């Protein structure tokens, strides 16, 4: 079955990241409770994307630690971090990060296939999600053959496919008009709530942040308020 | 809001009791501020006095809400005028308080940043409430919530812009202060 067991708490403590001379994170603390939807806001360059990447185990912090429940994930080897990402996390990025050569259906089934789940199960779950996101009739098209909003809905379906603990979204509606954006956000937050996944969502738009349970505001690499 | 013009408009299709007008008003616009019945009768009285509506009868029952009014020709003219004229694009004075608070904080030597942070959170809290109402509500509720959300969004953009310029603004305000000291 696709049921992933209990959801987990994600906690980043005293996180610091430098890129050469640039201090991107400077002692940021954030805790995401199981099932919580949190928006990260802040001026451009304040470290929002960097924080997301560190929490998601994509980037290693120079200082501080990231825990998923009791497990420290920031100091795992690259391969263990990437398998943890595959298992426990889902991602929705701003622009078409779907695999362009695969159909929407295959894209949505991909996380389950990579996790070694049976083809039939992947099929069932993919069809269910594409239906929820109202792109079932486009399932056999490739990302390049659908609108930006439709592709983004498929990306949401893919992020949810394996019922991850946490879904990370970086400006998930940044490339969409407000109506298409709302459809994506309704689906992302609605399904995440229903299935108990947490969501960490970077956005510079208050209307997007309003979908979250709370907002963390970054300034100069720290949590301002 | 222009309660009298709205009542005039609600009355145009056919003559009506005050209480029916009030019910319709509250259904469409009462979300923010329901009408008091005394306000309805006072407004209808004024419209009558100004010749924009006529008392055409009194329905059975007791109380002032049994009075039936109809719009007059002058009333239709006034309704047309009101609908045709664009509203003055302006910001309500309550929103400008934010601007005043920032200047007063800085000129009195207080930090403005925490104040703006608190304001941002208050705005975001309200936007979350509106989002929830929107989700659960019908089309009227959605458009009403959207109206407020877009205005709050504009405030938030202003807050971000002000927050990014606080150091410059503080310097400006203190320079004005110094110049005044010198001139004394
Ligand atoms: N790969 C990178 N190399 C160098 N500098 C980077 C890199 N990624 C981010 N930065 C810098 O780190 C700071 C924070 O970036 P980022 O987290 O992307 O901010 P935000 O998402 O809030 O706009 C910025 O000054 C940015 O220029
Ligand atoms: Mg970014």
């Amino acid at each position: 079955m696709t049921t992933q067991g209990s959801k987990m708490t994600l906690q980043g403590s005293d996180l610091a990241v430098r890129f050469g001379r640039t201090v991107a994170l400077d002692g940021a603390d954030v805790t995401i409770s199981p099932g919580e939807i949190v928006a990260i806001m802040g001026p451009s360059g304040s470290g929002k994307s960097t924080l997301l990447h560190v929490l998601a185990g994509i980037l290693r912090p120079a200082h501080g630690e990231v825990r998923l429940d009791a497990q420290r994930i920031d100091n795992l080897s690259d391969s263990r971090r990437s398998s943890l990402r595959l298992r426990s996390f889902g991602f929705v990025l701003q622009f078409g990060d779907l695999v362009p050569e695969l159909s929407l259906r295959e894209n949505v089934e991909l996380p389950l296939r990579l996790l070694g789940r049976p083809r039939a199960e992947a099929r069932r779950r993919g069809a269910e999600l594409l239906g929820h996101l109202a792109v079932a009739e486009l399932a056999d098209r490739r990302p390049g053959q659908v609108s930006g909003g439709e592709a983004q809905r498929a990306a949401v379906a893919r992020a949810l496919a394996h019922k991850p603990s946490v879904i990370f979204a970086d400006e998930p509606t940044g490339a969409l008009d407000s109506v298409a954006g709302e459809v994506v956000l309704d689906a992302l937050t609605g399904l995440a709530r229903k299935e108990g996944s947490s969501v960490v969502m970077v956005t510079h738009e208050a209307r997007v942040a309003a979908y979250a349970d709370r907002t963390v505001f970054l300034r100069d690499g720290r949590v301002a308020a | 809001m222009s309660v009298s013009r709205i009542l005039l408009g609600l009355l145009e299709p056919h003559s009506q009791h005050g209480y029916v007008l009030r019910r319709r008003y509250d259904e469409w616009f009462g979300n923010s501020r329901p009408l008091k019945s005394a306000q309805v009768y006072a407004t209808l009285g004024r419209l009558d006095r100004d010749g924009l509506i006529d008392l055409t009868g009194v329905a059975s029952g007791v109380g002032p809400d049994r009075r039936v009014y109809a719009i007059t020709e002058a009333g239709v003219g006034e309704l047309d005028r009101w609908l045709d004229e664009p509203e003055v694009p302006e910001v309500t004075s309550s929103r400008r308080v934010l601007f005043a608070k920032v200047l007063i904080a800085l000129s009195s030597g207080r930090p403005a940043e925490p104040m703006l942070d608190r304001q941002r959170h208050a705005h975001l809290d309200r936007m979350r409430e509106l989002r929830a109402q929107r989700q659960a509500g019908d089309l009227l509720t959605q458009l009403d919530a959207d109206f407020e959300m877009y205005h709050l969004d504009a405030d938030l953009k202003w807050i971000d812009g002000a927050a990014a310029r606080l150091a410059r603004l503080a310097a400006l305000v203190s320079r004005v202060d110094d110049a005044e000291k010198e001139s004394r």
Side-chain angles (χ1 to χ4, degrees):
Chain A
M1 259 325 285
T2 49
T3 310
Q4 225 12 205
S6 63
K7 304 295 179 179
M8 295 183 269
T9 298
L10 180 67
Q11 181 166 31
S13 325
D14 202 18
L15 300 171
V17 171
R18 250 166 250 110
F19 295 106
R21 286 238 179 107
T22 307
V23 178
L25 286 184
D26 186 20
D29 295 296
V30 62
T31 301
I32 316 292
S33 302
E36 198 181 20
I37 300 183
V38 177
I40 299 177
M41 297 189 83
S44 178
S46 59
K48 304 183 293 294
S49 295
T50 304
L51 178 59
L52 192 88
H53 293 154
V54 170
L55 291 174
I58 295 169
L59 192 69
R60 271 192 155 140
H63 186 265
E65 54 182 54
V66 180
R67 283 178 195 275
L68 189 60
D69 275 351
Q71 187 190 14
R72 250 187 99 165
I73 65 169
D74 58 283
N75 58 2
L76 296 177
S77 69
D78 286 355
S79 70
R80 292 195 57 200
R81 260 184 304 141
S82 65
S83 80
L84 176 115
R85 277 203 302 275
L86 186 61
R87 215 173 340 111
S88 303
F89 297 159
F91 294 88
V92 183
L93 304 181
Q94 182 174 357
F95 295 108
D97 58 322
L98 295 171
V99 182
E101 293 80 11
L102 299 182
S103 68
L104 300 191
R105 180 204 311 283
E106 289 163 334
N107 265 286
V108 174
E109 292 171 2
L110 192 58
L112 292 169
R113 299 297 294 147
L114 290 173
L115 285 167
R117 303 286 177 70
R119 180 175 295 273
E121 182 200 325
R123 272 279 143 130
R124 209 175 331 112
R125 176 70 171 155
E128 175 197 12
L129 284 168
L130 288 167
H132 278 318
L133 284 137
V135 283
E137 67 284 17
L138 306 173
D140 292 316
R141 296 208 204 162
R142 296 207 202 129
Q145 299 170 321
V146 301
S147 74
E150 288 157 354
Q152 206 60 337
R153 267 136 74 190
V156 167
R158 185 203 49 189
L160 287 155
H162 51 305
K163 303 194 173 173
S165 268
V166 189
I167 295 171
F168 296 92
D170 197 346
E171 302 281 3
T173 60
L176 304 180
D177 66 56
S178 64
V179 174
E182 277 181 18
V183 175
V184 167
L185 290 166
D186 282 337
L188 171 61
T189 56
L191 286 172
R193 280 189 205 288
K194 201 169 117 211
E195 304 196 337
S197 296
S198 314
V199 178
V200 185
M201 183 165 68
V202 165
T203 181
H204 65 277
E205 285 181 80
R207 284 176 59 82
V208 175
Y211 279 88
D213 300 318
R214 67 187 166 97
T215 300
V216 169
F217 194 84
L218 283 188
R219 181 180 300 119
D220 301 330
R222 291 164 165 274
V223 176
Chain B
M1 246 209 292
S2 321
V3 173
S4 73
R5 270 38 188 176
I6 292 172
L7 291 182
L8 200 55
L10 293 177
L11 201 53
E12 198 193 29
H14 42 80
S15 57
Q16 208 61 273
H17 302 156
Y19 77 86
V20 175
L21 295 177
R22 181 179 163 215
R23 207 176 54 203
R24 173 54 53 82
Y25 182 99
D26 286 348
E27 188 185 325
W28 284 359
F29 313 109
N31 230 351
S32 35
R33 215 179 307 154
L35 279 186
K36 293 205 167 53
S37 64
Q39 195 182 355
V40 175
Y41 308 122
T43 306
L44 290 173
R46 259 195 318 278
L47 288 169
D48 189 7
R49 184 202 62 202
D50 295 344
L52 301 177
I53 62 176
D54 265 342
L55 184 63
T56 59
V58 178
S60 53
V62 284
D65 58 345
R66 297 291 150 180
R67 279 183 224 162
V68 177
Y69 289 96
I71 197 165
T72 64
E73 221 169 287
V76 174
E78 170 53 23
L79 183 62
D80 280 336
R81 191 202 57 74
W82 182 65
L83 290 174
D84 290 347
E85 188 171 84
E87 290 301 299
V88 178
E90 66 184 352
V91 173
T92 56
S93 59
S94 70
R95 303 198 111 90
R96 286 196 190 283
V97 171
L98 218 55
F99 174 63
K101 277 187 163 182
V102 171
L103 283 192
I104 295 302
L106 291 175
S107 67
S108 64
R110 292 175 169 84
E113 202 163 70
M115 186 185 97
L116 288 176
D117 284 344
R118 282 193 295 275
Q119 191 65 57
R120 182 184 291 110
H121 279 291
H123 267 61
L124 286 168
D125 286 346
R126 177 63 185 151
M127 283 186 83
R128 248 191 307 280
E129 275 174 30
L130 290 164
R131 160 67 49 204
Q133 282 174 21
R134 209 184 173 288
Q135 217 95 8
D138 58 11
L139 185 57
L140 275 185
T141 310
Q142 286 174 12
L143 286 178
D144 196 19
D146 274 353
F147 195 83
E148 191 175 338
M149 283 184 94
Y150 280 114
H151 281 80
L152 294 176
D153 197 35
D155 287 351
L156 282 163
K157 291 198 166 88
W158 182 85
I159 289 170
D160 287 345
R165 293 176 180 83
L166 280 180
R168 270 164 64 197
L169 196 56
L172 184 83
V173 168
S174 70
R175 227 174 12 254
V176 170
D177 223 30
D178 293 345
E180 271 165 14
K181 262 181 228 149
E182 273 163 36
S183 71
R184 264 196 302 249

